[in-house]
Amino acid sequence: SQTIHQWPATLVQPVGSPLSLECTVEGTSNPNLYWYRQAAGRGLQLLFYSVGIGQISSEVPQNLSASRPQDRQFILSSKKLLLSDSGFYLCAWSSSEYTDTQYFGPGTRLTVL
Amino acid sequence: DAKTTQPPSMDCAEGRAANLPCNHSTISGNEYVYWYRQIHSQGPQYIIHGLKNNETNEMASLIITEDRKSSTLILPHATLRDTAVYYCIVRVPLRYGGATNKLIFGTGTLLAVQP
């Protein structure tokens, strides 16, 4: 069966510091990968998605970037965090088959102070 | 912008069926309706999805109206562990003919199951 991991689970960072969040998927090959962000009391917003190694598409302009160095690894980064980057970050995967479902990881709660 | 409208909250007695409504009047012909739920501080959990026909799995049933402008998620025997925010979502394709898709989340319905 497939599993998705995210770390760290929680993170408190000062404004202006760098960020690196990691997501890995097990039990599948060539997944589609997604990064979502959830602001307090709101639904999830898609930030980035990837259909393969080195292929990243951005959905919204922002202070963040994403990379996919390996088939089942997806990284969310920032060079300098802003207060507005605080939120709950969720990674999801789906099969590369058409109409397949997205499955979410446990999330990382980021607080920027 | 979310393509669905849901009531902000609902109550349900434990052991009774929970019926969660959703309006998606602007849905397009190739867009699926998905339901997820999120327990506080956890990642969303997939429940069920459908395009035109009613669907049932071990967790729930999904009833989609013939015009596809609304749907209802049914939890047949709600338990306290079903207390969560339930999201009705329209899934839209990100690339024509591709397999990547985007879930457009709204603010969901907070279902409170009462003992």
Side-chain angles (χ1 to χ4, degrees), chain B residues 60-85:
Chain B
S61 295
L62 175 60
I63 308 299
I64 303 175
T65 58
E66 191 170 347
D67 63 8
R68 301 213 322 125
K69 293 185 177 181
S70 65
S71 61
T72 301
L73 178 74
I74 301 173
L75 307 179
H77 305 287
T79 70
L80 297 178
R81 290 181 296 179
D82 291 324
T83 293
V85 177

mmCIF file of all heavy atoms in Angstrom, chain B residues 60-85:
data_model
loop_
_atom_site.group_PDB
_atom_site.id
_atom_site.type_symbol
_atom_site.label_atom_id
_atom_site.label_comp_id
_atom_site.label_asym_id
_atom_site.label_seq_id
_atom_site.Cartn_x
_atom_site.Cartn_y
_atom_site.Cartn_z
ATOM 1 N N ALA B 60 -19.326 5.847 2.957
ATOM 2 C CA ALA B 60 -20.445 6.756 2.733
ATOM 3 C C ALA B 60 -21.118 6.474 1.400
ATOM 4 O O ALA B 60 -20.650 5.658 0.608
ATOM 5 C CB ALA B 60 -19.931 8.193 2.750
ATOM 6 N N SER B 61 -22.225 7.197 1.173
ATOM 7 C CA SER B 61 -22.900 7.203 -0.119
ATOM 8 C C SER B 61 -22.923 8.628 -0.652
ATOM 9 O O SER B 61 -23.001 9.587 0.132
ATOM 10 C CB SER B 61 -24.330 6.687 0.003
ATOM 11 O OG SER B 61 -24.340 5.331 0.389
ATOM 12 N N LEU B 62 -22.863 8.741 -1.966
ATOM 13 C CA LEU B 62 -22.912 10.043 -2.628
ATOM 14 C C LEU B 62 -24.076 10.039 -3.592
ATOM 15 O O LEU B 62 -24.142 9.181 -4.486
ATOM 16 C CB LEU B 62 -21.605 10.309 -3.370
ATOM 17 C CG LEU B 62 -21.543 11.580 -4.222
ATOM 18 C CD1 LEU B 62 -21.760 12.822 -3.357
ATOM 19 C CD2 LEU B 62 -20.203 11.673 -4.951
ATOM 20 N N ILE B 63 -24.989 10.975 -3.375
ATOM 21 C CA ILE B 63 -26.154 11.112 -4.239
ATOM 22 C C ILE B 63 -25.975 12.395 -5.055
ATOM 23 O O ILE B 63 -25.859 13.488 -4.481
ATOM 24 C CB ILE B 63 -27.455 11.193 -3.427
ATOM 25 C CG1 ILE B 63 -27.542 10.023 -2.442
ATOM 26 C CG2 ILE B 63 -28.665 11.222 -4.366
ATOM 27 C CD1 ILE B 63 -27.558 8.657 -3.088
ATOM 28 N N ILE B 64 -25.941 12.282 -6.372
ATOM 29 C CA ILE B 64 -25.780 13.423 -7.263
ATOM 30 C C ILE B 64 -27.077 13.621 -8.032
ATOM 31 O O ILE B 64 -27.608 12.663 -8.611
ATOM 32 C CB ILE B 64 -24.615 13.205 -8.252
ATOM 33 C CG1 ILE B 64 -23.315 12.938 -7.479
ATOM 34 C CG2 ILE B 64 -24.439 14.411 -9.176
ATOM 35 C CD1 ILE B 64 -22.127 12.584 -8.365
ATOM 36 N N THR B 65 -27.584 14.838 -8.038
ATOM 37 C CA THR B 65 -28.828 15.104 -8.765
ATOM 38 C C THR B 65 -28.612 14.929 -10.262
ATOM 39 O O THR B 65 -27.484 15.024 -10.765
ATOM 40 C CB THR B 65 -29.347 16.516 -8.476
ATOM 41 O OG1 THR B 65 -28.326 17.461 -8.850
ATOM 42 C CG2 THR B 65 -29.685 16.673 -7.009
ATOM 43 N N GLU B 66 -29.719 14.712 -10.967
ATOM 44 C CA GLU B 66 -29.625 14.436 -12.394
ATOM 45 C C GLU B 66 -28.997 15.597 -13.172
ATOM 46 O O GLU B 66 -28.249 15.385 -14.131
ATOM 47 C CB GLU B 66 -31.016 14.123 -12.955
ATOM 48 C CG GLU B 66 -31.003 13.572 -14.372
ATOM 49 C CD GLU B 66 -32.365 13.055 -14.789
ATOM 50 O OE1 GLU B 66 -33.243 12.890 -13.917
ATOM 51 O OE2 GLU B 66 -32.538 12.815 -15.998
ATOM 52 N N ASP B 67 -29.279 16.826 -12.743
ATOM 53 C CA ASP B 67 -28.690 17.986 -13.423
ATOM 54 C C ASP B 67 -27.277 18.286 -12.937
ATOM 55 O O ASP B 67 -26.637 19.225 -13.430
ATOM 56 C CB ASP B 67 -29.584 19.224 -13.279
ATOM 57 C CG ASP B 67 -29.749 19.669 -11.836
ATOM 58 O OD1 ASP B 67 -29.056 19.125 -10.943
ATOM 59 O OD2 ASP B 67 -30.566 20.560 -11.581
ATOM 60 N N ARG B 68 -26.787 17.517 -11.974
ATOM 61 C CA ARG B 68 -25.440 17.627 -11.408
ATOM 62 C C ARG B 68 -25.193 18.954 -10.700
ATOM 63 O O ARG B 68 -24.047 19.290 -10.395
ATOM 64 C CB ARG B 68 -24.370 17.406 -12.477
ATOM 65 C CG ARG B 68 -24.437 16.095 -13.156
ATOM 66 C CD ARG B 68 -23.117 15.501 -13.576
ATOM 67 N NE ARG B 68 -22.160 16.454 -14.067
ATOM 68 C CZ ARG B 68 -20.932 16.589 -13.566
ATOM 69 N NH1 ARG B 68 -20.534 15.844 -12.558
ATOM 70 N NH2 ARG B 68 -20.100 17.477 -14.082
ATOM 71 N N LYS B 69 -26.213 19.689 -10.378
ATOM 72 C CA LYS B 69 -26.010 20.971 -9.722
ATOM 73 C C LYS B 69 -25.935 20.862 -8.215
ATOM 74 O O LYS B 69 -25.629 21.849 -7.525
ATOM 75 C CB LYS B 69 -27.114 21.946 -10.132
ATOM 76 C CG LYS B 69 -27.057 22.349 -11.599
ATOM 77 C CD LYS B 69 -28.075 23.397 -11.944
ATOM 78 C CE LYS B 69 -27.927 23.817 -13.402
ATOM 79 N NZ LYS B 69 -28.892 24.880 -13.778
ATOM 80 N N SER B 70 -26.199 19.709 -7.672
ATOM 81 C CA SER B 70 -26.055 19.530 -6.232
ATOM 82 C C SER B 70 -25.821 18.060 -5.917
ATOM 83 O O SER B 70 -26.066 17.185 -6.764
ATOM 84 C CB SER B 70 -27.286 20.048 -5.484
ATOM 85 O OG SER B 70 -28.412 19.272 -5.808
ATOM 86 N N SER B 71 -25.343 17.826 -4.699
ATOM 87 C CA SER B 71 -25.109 16.458 -4.262
ATOM 88 C C SER B 71 -25.274 16.386 -2.746
ATOM 89 O O SER B 71 -25.295 17.424 -2.060
ATOM 90 C CB SER B 71 -23.720 15.973 -4.678
ATOM 91 O OG SER B 71 -22.700 16.780 -4.101
ATOM 92 N N THR B 72 -25.400 15.162 -2.249
ATOM 93 C CA THR B 72 -25.533 14.929 -0.810
ATOM 94 C C THR B 72 -24.625 13.781 -0.411
ATOM 95 O O THR B 72 -24.647 12.716 -1.051
ATOM 96 C CB THR B 72 -26.974 14.581 -0.423
ATOM 97 O OG1 THR B 72 -27.832 15.657 -0.799
ATOM 98 C CG2 THR B 72 -27.100 14.347 1.074
ATOM 99 N N LEU B 73 -23.849 14.012 0.607
ATOM 100 C CA LEU B 73 -23.036 12.947 1.196
ATOM 101 C C LEU B 73 -23.817 12.360 2.353
ATOM 102 O O LEU B 73 -24.320 13.094 3.214
ATOM 103 C CB LEU B 73 -21.705 13.498 1.705
ATOM 104 C CG LEU B 73 -20.799 12.467 2.377
ATOM 105 C CD1 LEU B 73 -20.160 11.549 1.345
ATOM 106 C CD2 LEU B 73 -19.712 13.162 3.215
ATOM 107 N N ILE B 74 -23.910 11.047 2.394
ATOM 108 C CA ILE B 74 -24.655 10.377 3.457
ATOM 109 C C ILE B 74 -23.721 9.463 4.240
ATOM 110 O O ILE B 74 -23.095 8.557 3.673
ATOM 111 C CB ILE B 74 -25.822 9.546 2.886
ATOM 112 C CG1 ILE B 74 -26.779 10.450 2.102
ATOM 113 C CG2 ILE B 74 -26.564 8.825 4.016
ATOM 114 C CD1 ILE B 74 -27.861 9.687 1.360
ATOM 115 N N LEU B 75 -23.612 9.745 5.526
ATOM 116 C CA LEU B 75 -22.936 8.832 6.448
ATOM 117 C C LEU B 75 -24.038 8.032 7.124
ATOM 118 O O LEU B 75 -24.814 8.592 7.905
ATOM 119 C CB LEU B 75 -22.123 9.600 7.483
ATOM 120 C CG LEU B 75 -21.114 10.627 6.962
ATOM 121 C CD1 LEU B 75 -20.421 11.322 8.123
ATOM 122 C CD2 LEU B 75 -20.113 9.973 6.041
ATOM 123 N N PRO B 76 -24.157 6.740 6.862
ATOM 124 C CA PRO B 76 -25.371 6.013 7.266
ATOM 125 C C PRO B 76 -25.574 5.894 8.768
ATOM 126 O O PRO B 76 -26.714 5.934 9.236
ATOM 127 C CB PRO B 76 -25.186 4.644 6.608
ATOM 128 C CG PRO B 76 -23.739 4.526 6.322
ATOM 129 C CD PRO B 76 -23.232 5.908 6.092
ATOM 130 N N HIS B 77 -24.517 5.743 9.516
ATOM 131 C CA HIS B 77 -24.632 5.602 10.974
ATOM 132 C C HIS B 77 -23.497 6.410 11.619
ATOM 133 O O HIS B 77 -22.410 5.887 11.847
ATOM 134 C CB HIS B 77 -24.543 4.136 11.395
ATOM 135 C CG HIS B 77 -25.535 3.240 10.710
ATOM 136 N ND1 HIS B 77 -26.876 3.246 11.019
ATOM 137 C CD2 HIS B 77 -25.382 2.338 9.722
ATOM 138 C CE1 HIS B 77 -27.499 2.374 10.236
ATOM 139 N NE2 HIS B 77 -26.628 1.816 9.448
ATOM 140 N N ALA B 78 -23.759 7.667 11.868
ATOM 141 C CA ALA B 78 -22.701 8.556 12.346
ATOM 142 C C ALA B 78 -22.220 8.144 13.739
ATOM 143 O O ALA B 78 -23.013 7.764 14.611
ATOM 144 C CB ALA B 78 -23.200 9.989 12.376
ATOM 145 N N THR B 79 -20.901 8.239 13.935
ATOM 146 C CA THR B 79 -20.312 8.006 15.248
ATOM 147 C C THR B 79 -19.581 9.279 15.683
ATOM 148 O O THR B 79 -19.378 10.207 14.892
ATOM 149 C CB THR B 79 -19.308 6.849 15.212
ATOM 150 O OG1 THR B 79 -18.148 7.265 14.472
ATOM 151 C CG2 THR B 79 -19.906 5.611 14.556
ATOM 152 N N LEU B 80 -19.170 9.306 16.929
ATOM 153 C CA LEU B 80 -18.479 10.484 17.441
ATOM 154 C C LEU B 80 -17.202 10.753 16.649
ATOM 155 O O LEU B 80 -16.792 11.910 16.483
ATOM 156 C CB LEU B 80 -18.159 10.304 18.923
ATOM 157 C CG LEU B 80 -19.367 10.160 19.857
ATOM 158 C CD1 LEU B 80 -18.897 9.928 21.302
ATOM 159 C CD2 LEU B 80 -20.276 11.370 19.784
ATOM 160 N N ARG B 81 -16.573 9.714 16.136
ATOM 161 C CA ARG B 81 -15.352 9.871 15.371
ATOM 162 C C ARG B 81 -15.571 10.489 13.997
ATOM 163 O O ARG B 81 -14.612 10.825 13.299
ATOM 164 C CB ARG B 81 -14.643 8.524 15.212
ATOM 165 C CG ARG B 81 -14.042 7.998 16.504
ATOM 166 C CD ARG B 81 -13.336 6.685 16.303
ATOM 167 N NE ARG B 81 -14.252 5.628 15.883
ATOM 168 C CZ ARG B 81 -13.883 4.387 15.615
ATOM 169 N NH1 ARG B 81 -12.615 4.054 15.666
ATOM 170 N NH2 ARG B 81 -14.770 3.484 15.263
ATOM 171 N N ASP B 82 -16.836 10.614 13.609
ATOM 172 C CA ASP B 82 -17.142 11.275 12.335
ATOM 173 C C ASP B 82 -17.199 12.794 12.478
ATOM 174 O O ASP B 82 -17.400 13.494 11.480
ATOM 175 C CB ASP B 82 -18.469 10.755 11.784
ATOM 176 C CG ASP B 82 -18.386 9.296 11.334
ATOM 177 O OD1 ASP B 82 -17.328 8.904 10.802
ATOM 178 O OD2 ASP B 82 -19.370 8.562 11.540
ATOM 179 N N THR B 83 -17.048 13.312 13.670
ATOM 180 C CA THR B 83 -17.008 14.764 13.851
ATOM 181 C C THR B 83 -15.784 15.324 13.148
ATOM 182 O O THR B 83 -14.653 14.940 13.430
ATOM 183 C CB THR B 83 -16.972 15.121 15.346
ATOM 184 O OG1 THR B 83 -18.212 14.747 15.943
ATOM 185 C CG2 THR B 83 -16.748 16.613 15.546
ATOM 186 N N ALA B 84 -16.023 16.224 12.186
ATOM 187 C CA ALA B 84 -14.939 16.740 11.338
ATOM 188 C C ALA B 84 -15.506 17.837 10.446
ATOM 189 O O ALA B 84 -16.720 18.058 10.396
ATOM 190 C CB ALA B 84 -14.345 15.632 10.479
ATOM 191 N N VAL B 85 -14.623 18.493 9.712
ATOM 192 C CA VAL B 85 -15.047 19.408 8.644
ATOM 193 C C VAL B 85 -15.102 18.612 7.349
ATOM 194 O O VAL B 85 -14.124 17.951 6.976
ATOM 195 C CB VAL B 85 -14.086 20.597 8.496
ATOM 196 C CG1 VAL B 85 -14.520 21.482 7.320
ATOM 197 C CG2 VAL B 85 -14.041 21.412 9.779
#
